[in-house]
PDB file of all heavy atoms in Angstrom:
ATOM      1  N   LEU A  10      62.968  25.707  87.149  1.00 93.00           N
ATOM      2  CA  LEU A  10      63.725  26.956  87.159  1.00 93.00           C
ATOM      3  C   LEU A  10      63.088  27.992  86.244  1.00 93.00           C
ATOM      4  O   LEU A  10      63.510  29.155  86.252  1.00 93.00           O
ATOM      5  CB  LEU A  10      65.159  26.711  86.725  1.00 93.00           C
ATOM      6  CG  LEU A  10      65.955  25.768  87.671  1.00 93.00           C
ATOM      7  CD1 LEU A  10      67.355  25.559  87.125  1.00 93.00           C
ATOM      8  CD2 LEU A  10      65.986  26.309  89.079  1.00 93.00           C
ATOM      9  N   GLU A  12      59.031  29.130  85.174  1.00 95.00           N
ATOM     10  CA  GLU A  12      57.624  28.862  85.434  1.00 95.00           C
ATOM     11  C   GLU A  12      56.765  29.988  84.805  1.00 95.00           C
ATOM     12  O   GLU A  12      57.160  31.138  84.773  1.00 95.00           O
ATOM     13  CB  GLU A  12      57.385  28.847  86.960  1.00 95.00           C
ATOM     14  CG  GLU A  12      56.015  28.353  87.324  1.00 95.00           C
ATOM     15  CD  GLU A  12      55.894  28.124  88.808  1.00 95.00           C
ATOM     16  OE1 GLU A  12      56.867  27.621  89.432  1.00 95.00           O
ATOM     17  OE2 GLU A  12      54.830  28.424  89.369  1.00 95.00           O
ATOM     18  N   ILE A  26      49.858  50.325  83.538  1.00 93.00           N
ATOM     19  CA  ILE A  26      51.159  50.834  83.133  1.00 93.00           C
ATOM     20  C   ILE A  26      51.561  52.001  84.029  1.00 93.00           C
ATOM     21  O   ILE A  26      52.724  52.118  84.478  1.00 93.00           O
ATOM     22  CB  ILE A  26      51.175  51.218  81.652  1.00 93.00           C
ATOM     23  CG1 ILE A  26      51.068  49.966  80.775  1.00 93.00           C
ATOM     24  CG2 ILE A  26      52.417  52.010  81.298  1.00 93.00           C
ATOM     25  CD1 ILE A  26      50.885  50.240  79.300  1.00 93.00           C
ATOM     26  N   LYS A  27      50.616  52.871  84.368  1.00 94.00           N
ATOM     27  CA  LYS A  27      50.910  53.997  85.261  1.00 94.00           C
ATOM     28  C   LYS A  27      51.298  53.489  86.653  1.00 94.00           C
ATOM     29  O   LYS A  27      52.262  53.959  87.214  1.00 94.00           O
ATOM     30  CB  LYS A  27      49.690  54.909  85.369  1.00 94.00           C
ATOM     31  CG  LYS A  27      49.930  56.127  86.221  1.00 94.00           C
ATOM     32  CD  LYS A  27      48.663  56.954  86.354  1.00 94.00           C
ATOM     33  CE  LYS A  27      48.843  58.154  87.239  1.00 94.00           C
ATOM     34  NZ  LYS A  27      49.377  57.874  88.537  1.00 94.00           N
ATOM     35  N   ALA A  42      78.519  46.793  85.318  1.00 46.00           N
ATOM     36  CA  ALA A  42      79.695  46.656  86.210  1.00 46.00           C
ATOM     37  C   ALA A  42      79.305  46.977  87.650  1.00 46.00           C
ATOM     38  O   ALA A  42      79.957  46.535  88.598  1.00 46.00           O
ATOM     39  CB  ALA A  42      80.805  47.552  85.732  1.00 46.00           C
ATOM     40  N   ILE A  60      58.852  48.709  81.108  1.00 93.00           N
ATOM     41  CA  ILE A  60      57.514  48.402  80.622  1.00 93.00           C
ATOM     42  C   ILE A  60      57.259  49.176  79.341  1.00 93.00           C
ATOM     43  O   ILE A  60      57.796  50.268  79.145  1.00 93.00           O
ATOM     44  CB  ILE A  60      56.429  48.718  81.682  1.00 93.00           C
ATOM     45  CG1 ILE A  60      55.093  48.146  81.254  1.00 93.00           C
ATOM     46  CG2 ILE A  60      56.357  50.199  81.939  1.00 93.00           C
ATOM     47  CD1 ILE A  60      54.056  48.136  82.344  1.00 93.00           C
ATOM     48  N   ASN A  77      66.434  36.535 101.080  1.00 66.00           N
ATOM     49  CA  ASN A  77      65.645  36.114  99.938  1.00 66.00           C
ATOM     50  C   ASN A  77      66.429  36.451  98.676  1.00 66.00           C
ATOM     51  O   ASN A  77      66.348  37.537  98.135  1.00 66.00           O
ATOM     52  CB  ASN A  77      64.281  36.821  99.897  1.00 66.00           C
ATOM     53  CG  ASN A  77      63.420  36.406 101.026  1.00 66.00           C
ATOM     54  OD1 ASN A  77      63.473  35.271 101.451  1.00 66.00           O
ATOM     55  ND2 ASN A  77      62.610  37.319 101.535  1.00 66.00           N
ATOM     56  N   THR A  86      53.659  39.668  79.369  1.00 95.00           N
ATOM     57  CA  THR A  86      52.839  40.379  78.384  1.00 95.00           C
ATOM     58  C   THR A  86      51.443  40.525  78.966  1.00 95.00           C
ATOM     59  O   THR A  86      51.047  39.756  79.834  1.00 95.00           O
ATOM     60  CB  THR A  86      52.755  39.559  77.064  1.00 95.00           C
ATOM     61  OG1 THR A  86      52.182  38.294  77.324  1.00 95.00           O
ATOM     62  CG2 THR A  86      54.117  39.410  76.426  1.00 95.00           C
ATOM     63  N   PHE A 117      86.652  21.046  87.568  1.00 90.00           N
ATOM     64  CA  PHE A 117      87.462  20.949  88.786  1.00 90.00           C
ATOM     65  C   PHE A 117      87.391  19.560  89.385  1.00 90.00           C
ATOM     66  O   PHE A 117      88.420  18.952  89.706  1.00 90.00           O
ATOM     67  CB  PHE A 117      86.964  22.003  89.787  1.00 90.00           C
ATOM     68  CG  PHE A 117      87.680  21.997  91.089  1.00 90.00           C
ATOM     69  CD1 PHE A 117      88.964  22.548  91.193  1.00 90.00           C
ATOM     70  CD2 PHE A 117      87.149  21.411  92.198  1.00 90.00           C
ATOM     71  CE1 PHE A 117      89.640  22.528  92.409  1.00 90.00           C
ATOM     72  CE2 PHE A 117      87.809  21.382  93.412  1.00 90.00           C
ATOM     73  CZ  PHE A 117      89.047  21.939  93.514  1.00 90.00           C
ATOM     74  N   PHE A 126      93.696   9.162  89.554  1.00 76.00           N
ATOM     75  CA  PHE A 126      93.811   7.933  88.793  1.00 76.00           C
ATOM     76  C   PHE A 126      95.107   7.846  87.994  1.00 76.00           C
ATOM     77  O   PHE A 126      95.685   6.774  87.850  1.00 76.00           O
ATOM     78  CB  PHE A 126      92.629   7.769  87.858  1.00 76.00           C
ATOM     79  CG  PHE A 126      91.354   7.349  88.544  1.00 76.00           C
ATOM     80  CD1 PHE A 126      90.217   8.129  88.419  1.00 76.00           C
ATOM     81  CD2 PHE A 126      91.309   6.192  89.298  1.00 76.00           C
ATOM     82  CE1 PHE A 126      89.046   7.735  89.054  1.00 76.00           C
ATOM     83  CE2 PHE A 126      90.151   5.795  89.936  1.00 76.00           C
ATOM     84  CZ  PHE A 126      89.015   6.581  89.818  1.00 76.00           C
ATOM     85  N   LEU A 146      77.005  19.348  96.413  1.00 93.00           N
ATOM     86  CA  LEU A 146      76.719  20.591  97.125  1.00 93.00           C
ATOM     87  C   LEU A 146      76.941  21.828  96.229  1.00 93.00           C
ATOM     88  O   LEU A 146      76.123  22.767  96.289  1.00 93.00           O
ATOM     89  CB  LEU A 146      77.571  20.694  98.371  1.00 93.00           C
ATOM     90  CG  LEU A 146      77.227  19.753  99.520  1.00 93.00           C
ATOM     91  CD1 LEU A 146      78.214  19.913 100.640  1.00 93.00           C
ATOM     92  CD2 LEU A 146      75.827  20.006  99.995  1.00 93.00           C
ATOM     93  N   ARG A 161      59.188  32.116  94.972  1.00 93.00           N
ATOM     94  CA  ARG A 161      58.977  33.346  95.739  1.00 93.00           C
ATOM     95  C   ARG A 161      58.538  34.480  94.794  1.00 93.00           C
ATOM     96  O   ARG A 161      57.679  35.289  95.159  1.00 93.00           O
ATOM     97  CB  ARG A 161      60.267  33.714  96.462  1.00 93.00           C
ATOM     98  CG  ARG A 161      60.192  34.927  97.301  1.00 93.00           C
ATOM     99  CD  ARG A 161      59.454  34.607  98.557  1.00 93.00           C
ATOM    100  NE  ARG A 161      59.370  35.847  99.332  1.00 93.00           N
ATOM    101  CZ  ARG A 161      58.710  35.941 100.427  1.00 93.00           C
ATOM    102  NH1 ARG A 161      58.094  34.905 100.931  1.00 93.00           N
ATOM    103  NH2 ARG A 161      58.645  37.085 101.071  1.00 93.00           N
TER     104      ARG A 161
END
Side-chain angles (χ1 to χ4, degrees):
L10 298 178
E12 190 171 321
I26 291 173
K27 182 183 178 308
I60 190 167
N77 292 327
T86 59
F117 179 78
F126 285 123
L146 288 177
R161 182 76 182 175

